[in-house]
Amino acid sequence: MAKEFKIEPLKVWDDFKKYREKYYRDYLEAKDNGGIRWAGSAWAFDAVPAGLGEDVYPLTGEPYGATVAFFKDFSLQALEAAERKGVARDLCGYLRNYWGSIILDKYVLADGTIVEGFPKPDFNYTIHICCTHAKWYHRAGELEGGIPTYAVDISVGPGYLLDDKKIDYVVRQLNDSIEWMEKVTGREYDDELLIKAVYAEADSMTTWAKICKLNQNVPAPLEEKSMFTLYALLVLHRADPRVAELYHKLYEETQDRVKRGIGAISNEQFRFLTDNPPPWAFLNIYRYMEREYGAVSLGSIYTFGLEGAWLGMDEKGERWIWEPAPTPEEAGVEITNREEALRWTAEYNLRYRPGWQHPYSHKIRKLETLQMIRDWKADALIMHINRGCELWALSELEVRDYLVKHGIPVATYESNMADPRDFDEARTWNVIDSFMESLGRKKLSKQ
Amino acid sequence: MGKKMEELPQYKQFSEWIENRHDYAKKWKQNNGGKVVGYICTYVPEEIFYAAGVLPVRILGSHEPESITRPYLHDMYCPFCHDALAQGLEGRFDYLDGIMLAQSCLHMRQVFFTWEERCGVDWSYYMEFPHGVNNPHASEYLRSLLEKFKSAVEEWTGTTISNKELDEAIEIYNRNRELMRRVYELRKSDNPPITGLHAMEMVVSSQMVDKREHNEVLESLLEDLQDVEVDREIGTRLMIVGSEDDDREFFRMVEYEQNYPATFVFEEHCTGARYFWNDVKPEEDRLMAIAKRYVTRVPCPAKDWPTKTIQGRRRFNWIERWAKEYNVEGAIIMQQKFCDPHELDIPALRELFDKLGIPHLFLEFDITVPVGQFRTRVEAFLESIGEEDLFI
């Protein structure tokens, strides 16, 4: 008889949901009170535009694209609108939902409400690491009638190979971007607000890593489907001190759950990890796994590493370390001016973001994934072969091969994080059922 | 009585080099005792290899159907990458002493890493070439990367690359670029002496052989081109724009095998003008001179995006200029399936051609070209361009 764990709803859940709802509405209504809107990748240096004032509201494209994908009917309209304008169907799924929204001139709020008129940003601000980011917002700006765009090139290689020249290259661009923002907004830049935001960003990202690490416990206090909601604030506005505060609340609550043995699911019998953004319109995969197999998804290099800050590769490039990266306070660093703030945010992001490390070699992603499986005591990995993101697809099959050679069971299913047309529900259930059967697991409903 | 281009020994030499690229590289090694390095993307600073006595050769596909890359490479990665990797997995480049990638698109990156791991190569180098070539700090940053790269090549080859050797390599490479530009220049005429197929063979072969030898052939070709007799109707003057494309079959079909006459007068891709158009402008700091050349060259769309001072696409300025200078009447946008950087530019590129009043046809190609299907589409396109004539 499998052990039953106590479960409890998260107390902070509603706070996270409310922040997200308010975020999309704030962006929409920013102009009512003379505020500034900017749009760009969730990987943009979120702290930098914060220096423009306290009424600056971002819209990050990937979570927006995921939100659209979640509302399948609207997503189909957006995807088809983009395709009618000559946009290739194999491009990033988020991008196509985002461009489609602009073309339809419709905006989706967190609860699925569709608002007429896609709110134009004052400027686009992004980073560029894959083939898409800068070109995404460049074209978005054109579709919006000429919104200026600034993209920071961060393609300087993995954190453990950073040197001063690489960091300088990014910091110079950040400095330029501040001048540029002043010019396009007509606002004077406030370094104190930047410094505050840089501290908040590191606080949010490191705290999230600490929360993820708690999922190494048995039973896992959190499961990945809920973590998608919880980690979302990092991709929305991690440099907002209110976001950092919410992560502290979540960290305390998760610690308390671990202490009291509260699980994410009551029947945890099988622990697995994933490795990619999920197909957002079909998150019921996770509930299916829980219900049918008592299987809990503990997270992924995506959920942990997209916005969490981790030590990552050791200096020799031989070992991946899943330990939270230090905040400025923990590192004993005091940030007192613009240069120090920009240098900190550049180096912290370049060095400690797993999502910015593993695109630079198969080896990094292999070590990262295998270490995750060991540290989180997982029984298997379920891999989403994601047609919607070529960056997350990089090295994926090589990692699969590596894990299998290390005796880790791996299942793969092909889909798309943001294009519901690419998801084959019946086939995916079949893959999962066959995989679990091959591991000797029987459906709980048939026992 | 002039000769036909196909009869010129220089043209035969280009074709022969392409057909027997592997034999050429093996013989070059034997004769010169040097190393041969393979590269996938044209952002590799070949001058530095050449200065160290290394022959850089481009890894291109063979346009044969394959299935051996599927366990390693995502299905949605471009056919060029699948085809290139297949060559490595099949051992066709087993003579390579090393491989190098100057950071370009994700697909080539994965090919590089998989090749490094599975195709058995003694030396490999991944350079984090700037993506943001339009930003003002890119040259200085690239210079710092070139310095490391130069040291790595010196260590690998056991040589020291002096300024003299760099100057010589720069001169040979610049000469090659200049000669190919001069050949392209002849295509501006009403009766261009060479077709797109000829031009493609010239440029592709330059990526496979010692530039010194290529220069010799180009020099004599330029002399003989004056006497070339054009025995075919030029028809519609076409420009090809797009991704990596070394598929000769398509060019042959358009220019030689259909009912409506047409001639490519310009190729804007990395086996065409994007590869050779810009020179290294000599300066005291040789590495900075090389860095500036690769940063300011006609950009691949993967690197062509906005920054503080540039909000448009630099590549489009070149396309517009070439379309006008070469009196282009129609454009074929040749898209390597799944090539994101190009796909991301295509809606804006179509708008550019609309603005220029140049009719355009979009074709998406794979490892092999569906010639029959494309023939129908190209013929319909050419017919639509000449539509007015039908009613005169």
Side-chain angles (χ1 to χ4, degrees):
Chain A
M1 181 83 182
K3 190 176 173 185
E4 282 280 313
F5 296 104
K6 280 189 287 181
I7 54 169
E8 275 178 15
L10 278 166
K11 296 184 190 81
V12 292
W13 183 257
D14 286 345
D15 294 340
F16 278 72
K17 295 288 261 192
K18 276 181 199 153
Y19 184 95
R20 184 163 166 264
E21 280 167 21
K22 189 170 177 304
Y23 170 90
Y24 286 109
R25 198 165 279 287
D26 281 350
Y27 180 80
L28 178 68
E29 294 166 356
K31 291 289 154 195
D32 297 349
N33 301 307
I36 289 203
R37 289 186 191 133
W38 68 271
S41 167
W43 273 350
F45 285 93
D46 184 38
V48 179
L52 290 171
E54 291 183 294
D55 55 350
V56 175
Y57 301 94
L59 175 69
T60 47
E62 297 92 333
Y64 178 78
T67 300
V68 173
F70 184 78
F71 299 107
K72 276 179 269 188
D73 293 340
F74 181 68
S75 179
L76 279 175
Q77 289 177 41
L79 295 165
E80 287 173 4
E83 282 157 20
R84 282 194 297 275
K85 289 279 183 186
V87 176
R89 198 181 151 167
D90 55 283
L91 286 175
C92 165
Y94 293 151
L95 166 150
R96 288 183 291 128
N97 278 318
Y98 189 95
W99 285 1
S101 289
I102 295 173
I103 293 163
L104 293 170
D105 202 18
K106 289 178 179 173
Y107 176 70
V108 179
L109 294 170
D111 63 358
T113 305
I114 295 165
V115 179
E116 290 297 326
F118 188 87
K120 289 182 188 175
D122 293 286
F123 61 90
N124 289 311
Y125 188 62
T126 186
I127 52 90
H128 189 81
I129 191 172
C130 70
C131 294
T132 301
H133 286 111
K135 298 182 83 72
W136 170 342
Y137 297 98
H138 187 190
R139 183 62 182 162
E142 289 175 343
L143 291 170
E144 288 166 326
I147 301 297
T149 300
Y150 190 100
V152 179
D153 178 12
I154 58 155
S155 55
V156 295
Y160 75 100
L161 295 177
L162 275 182
D163 58 31
D164 282 346
K165 288 192 172 152
K166 291 179 177 181
I167 298 167
D168 285 348
Y169 176 57
V170 174
V171 171
R172 282 179 187 169
Q173 294 176 70
L174 293 177
N175 264 308
D176 284 356
S177 75
I178 290 175
E179 277 175 37
W180 177 84
M181 279 178 211
E182 286 184 314
K183 198 173 147 200
V184 298
T185 63
R187 284 207 181 178
E188 202 176 319
Y189 196 80
D190 183 339
D191 289 342
E192 288 306 315
L193 290 175
L194 166 71
I195 292 167
K196 198 170 144 192
V198 165
Y199 275 113
E201 177 195 48
D203 197 5
S204 300
M205 290 170 71
T206 292
T207 308
W208 175 247
K210 291 174 182 171
I211 293 162
C212 294
K213 202 166 153 57
L214 290 172
N215 242 20
Q216 292 176 357
N217 286 284
V218 179
L222 303 168
E223 38 71 33
E224 196 177 18
K225 183 176 178 298
S226 299
M227 289 169 86
F228 291 142
T229 298
L230 300 171
Y231 96 112
L233 307 198
L234 290 155
V235 287
L236 298 179
H237 201 10
R238 62 194 163 278
D240 178 355
R242 284 164 297 185
V243 167
E245 224 171 273
L246 283 172
Y247 282 110
H248 278 285
K249 277 173 81 174
L250 175 62
Y251 183 44
E252 279 169 32
E253 188 178 346
T254 313
Q255 280 178 310
D256 179 58
R257 286 168 76 92
V258 170
K259 213 178 288 171
R260 294 189 296 118
I262 306 296
I265 65 171
S266 60
N267 56 343
E268 178 181 314
Q269 298 173 27
F270 185 85
R271 294 163 68 87
F272 70 100
L273 286 153
T274 66
D275 82 321
N276 236 277
W280 290 107
F282 300 95
L283 296 179
N284 52 354
I285 301 169
Y286 294 88
R287 294 292 177 248
Y288 179 80
M289 291 289 286
E290 289 167 18
R291 193 177 60 243
E292 294 295 344
Y293 298 103
V296 60
S297 181
L298 306 160
S300 57
I301 57 169
Y302 168 73
T303 325
F304 301 160
L306 185 75
E307 299 282 354
W310 302 87
L311 292 184
M313 292 298 281
D314 69 0
E315 282 178 9
K316 291 180 182 167
E318 291 171 354
R319 199 166 63 92
W320 181 275
I321 305 164
W322 282 108
E323 286 296 333
T327 60
E329 294 90 338
E330 288 165 354
V333 171
E334 193 187 352
I335 299 168
T336 61
N337 56 45
R338 180 187 297 185
E339 195 58 30
E340 287 170 5
L342 295 182
R343 205 158 184 89
W344 172 274
T345 191
E347 187 167 351
Y348 179 83
N349 279 284
L350 293 169
R351 198 176 287 284
Y352 298 134
R353 254 176 199 281
W356 291 8
Q357 315 304 314
H358 58 233
Y360 292 106
S361 85
H362 295 339
K363 184 185 167 192
I364 297 176
R365 188 153 165 178
K366 286 172 181 175
L367 294 174
E368 174 193 26
T369 308
L370 185 62
Q371 196 60 46
M372 174 179 72
I373 288 165
R374 288 175 176 157
D375 289 355
W376 271 264
K377 305 174 196 76
D379 299 302
L381 187 124
I382 297 184
M383 192 172 258
H384 173 201
I385 308 289
N386 184 2
R387 298 176 74 88
C389 178
E390 294 180 9
L391 182 69
W392 279 96
L394 188 76
S395 307
E396 210 182 6
L397 295 172
E398 293 281 7
V399 171
R400 182 201 162 277
D401 182 60
Y402 178 76
L403 295 178
V404 169
K405 283 179 179 152
H406 279 78
I408 310 293
V410 182
T412 60
Y413 69 98
E414 190 163 356
S415 180
N416 189 313
M417 63 190 181
D419 187 338
R421 295 169 299 183
D422 284 343
F423 184 74
D424 184 333
E425 199 163 4
R427 177 177 278 195
T428 306
W429 298 152
N430 276 340
V431 166
I432 288 171
D433 289 340
S434 309
F435 179 61
M436 296 305 280
E437 199 179 316
S438 74
L439 297 175
R441 302 278 167 170
K442 286 188 179 149
K443 281 189 177 181
L444 299 178
S445 58
K446 292 194 175 163
Q447 284 178 15
Chain B
M1 180 90 178
K3 281 186 179 170
K4 290 179 186 172
M5 178 68 180
E6 286 77 7
E7 292 167 354
L8 292 183
Q10 298 92 336
Y11 175 66
K12 287 181 182 163
Q13 178 68 80
F14 295 148
S15 304
E16 203 266 337
W17 275 333
I18 293 175
E19 293 300 328
N20 301 307
R21 63 187 83 166
H22 303 302
D23 291 340
Y24 173 87
K26 287 174 196 166
K27 271 186 204 151
W28 185 93
K29 271 174 81 162
Q30 270 175 6
N31 297 341
N32 294 277
K35 294 179 188 293
V36 178
V37 70
Y39 68 91
I40 312 162
C41 169
T42 57
Y43 273 94
V44 163
E46 292 179 60
E47 290 87 343
I48 293 175
F49 278 127
Y50 200 80
V54 176
L55 176 69
V57 296
R58 191 165 187 197
I59 297 169
L60 295 173
S62 66
H63 304 286
E64 297 161 273
E66 61 83 20
S67 58
I68 55 173
T69 56
R70 293 306 184 276
Y72 317 113
L73 213 52
H74 197 295
D75 270 352
M76 277 179 55
Y77 279 20
C78 79
F80 167 61
C81 286
H82 278 278
D83 200 3
L85 179 60
Q87 306 307 304
L89 294 169
E90 283 172 355
R92 292 181 182 171
F93 280 90
D94 57 2
Y95 54 86
L96 290 182
D97 299 291
I99 53 158
M100 150 108 191
L101 183 70
Q103 183 163 265
S104 50
C105 65
L106 295 174
H107 300 188
M108 292 196 194
R109 195 184 299 185
Q110 161 115 31
V111 170
F112 172 83
F113 292 131
T114 296
W115 191 298
E116 191 181 40
E117 195 170 317
R118 299 186 182 274
C119 301
V121 73
D122 293 338
W123 183 84
S124 59
Y125 195 92
Y126 180 87
M127 183 166 76
E128 293 100 5
F129 194 104
H131 271 319
V133 292
N134 293 341
N135 93 61
H137 310 293
S139 296
E140 197 180 327
Y141 173 53
L142 177 57
R143 195 215 168 279
S144 71
L145 299 172
L146 292 181
E147 204 170 323
K148 281 191 200 168
F149 170 61
K150 179 173 161 275
S151 302
V153 173
E154 286 172 332
E155 194 185 327
W156 177 44
T157 55
T159 56
T160 303
I161 304 172
S162 67
N163 277 347
K164 184 175 164 283
E165 283 144 353
L166 277 176
D167 287 344
E168 199 178 298
I170 289 169
E171 198 185 319
I172 289 168
Y173 270 72
N174 275 353
R175 180 71 180 150
N176 192 252
R177 291 164 182 143
E178 186 206 332
L179 293 169
M180 290 203 282
R181 280 199 306 271
R182 279 172 55 193
V183 174
Y184 262 49
E185 187 69 21
L186 301 173
R187 307 170 76 191
K188 286 181 179 171
S189 79
D190 290 342
N191 212 16
I194 66 165
T195 62
L197 178 66
H198 304 142
M200 175 188 265
E201 298 204 352
M202 171 183 77
V203 182
V204 171
S205 63
S206 81
Q207 298 181 342
M208 294 167 172
V209 302
D210 190 325
K211 291 282 195 286
R212 212 185 297 257
E213 283 180 61
H214 203 258
N215 287 349
E216 284 168 18
V217 176
L218 279 171
E219 306 228 12
S220 81
L221 173 70
L222 274 162
E223 281 173 24
D224 288 356
L225 276 179
Q226 292 166 6
D227 302 324
V228 161
E229 182 192 329
V230 182
D231 65 342
R232 53 186 291 284
E233 197 181 338
I234 300 303
T236 306
R237 298 172 66 87
L238 295 173
M239 177 182 197
I240 199 159
V241 178
S243 320
E244 187 285 332
D245 177 13
D246 60 310
D247 199 317
R248 293 179 286 167
E249 203 179 345
F250 176 75
F251 276 68
R252 198 171 287 121
M253 180 275 286
V254 174
E255 295 182 308
Y256 296 94
E257 295 171 4
Q258 50 159 3
N259 296 326
Y260 294 92
T263 302
F264 287 108
V265 294
F266 205 90
E267 296 82 33
E268 190 281 330
H269 48 208
C270 62
T271 38
R274 281 210 305 274
Y275 173 63
F276 68 83
W277 205 260
N278 311 89
D279 286 346
V280 176
K281 292 183 181 142
E283 60 179 271
E284 185 54 35
D285 181 343
R286 274 70 166 180
L287 293 184
M288 183 54 106
I290 294 172
K292 284 180 183 167
R293 188 269 163 188
Y294 283 90
V295 162
T296 59
R297 58 163 266 193
V298 185
C300 167
K303 295 181 184 293
D304 192 17
W305 37 265
T307 180
K308 190 168 79 171
T309 48
I310 296 174
Q311 283 293 305
R313 294 171 185 80
R314 256 197 318 121
R315 175 174 159 249
F316 282 17
N317 297 336
W318 285 101
I319 292 172
E320 186 170 345
R321 179 178 144 184
W322 287 325
K324 287 176 181 164
E325 286 181 356
Y326 286 76
N327 194 20
V328 167
E329 294 167 319
I332 293 186
I333 301 171
M334 201 65 176
Q335 164 68 21
Q336 184 89 234
K337 196 173 171 184
F338 301 140
C339 169
D340 281 14
H342 279 273
E343 282 176 343
L344 286 157
D345 269 359
I346 280 172
L349 183 61
R350 288 172 152 172
E351 287 167 11
L352 173 73
F353 281 123
D354 286 343
K355 189 190 89 182
L356 296 173
I358 295 175
H360 46 94
L361 172 70
F362 173 80
L363 294 175
E364 190 176 71
F365 67 109
D366 210 317
I367 287 179
T368 54
V369 171
V371 173
Q373 208 184 85
F374 278 7
R375 178 181 289 119
T376 309
R377 294 184 63 189
V378 172
E379 281 187 353
F381 173 62
L382 294 172
E383 188 177 316
S384 73
I385 291 178
E387 193 177 19
E388 286 170 18
D389 298 342
L390 293 175
F391 302 103
I392 289 172

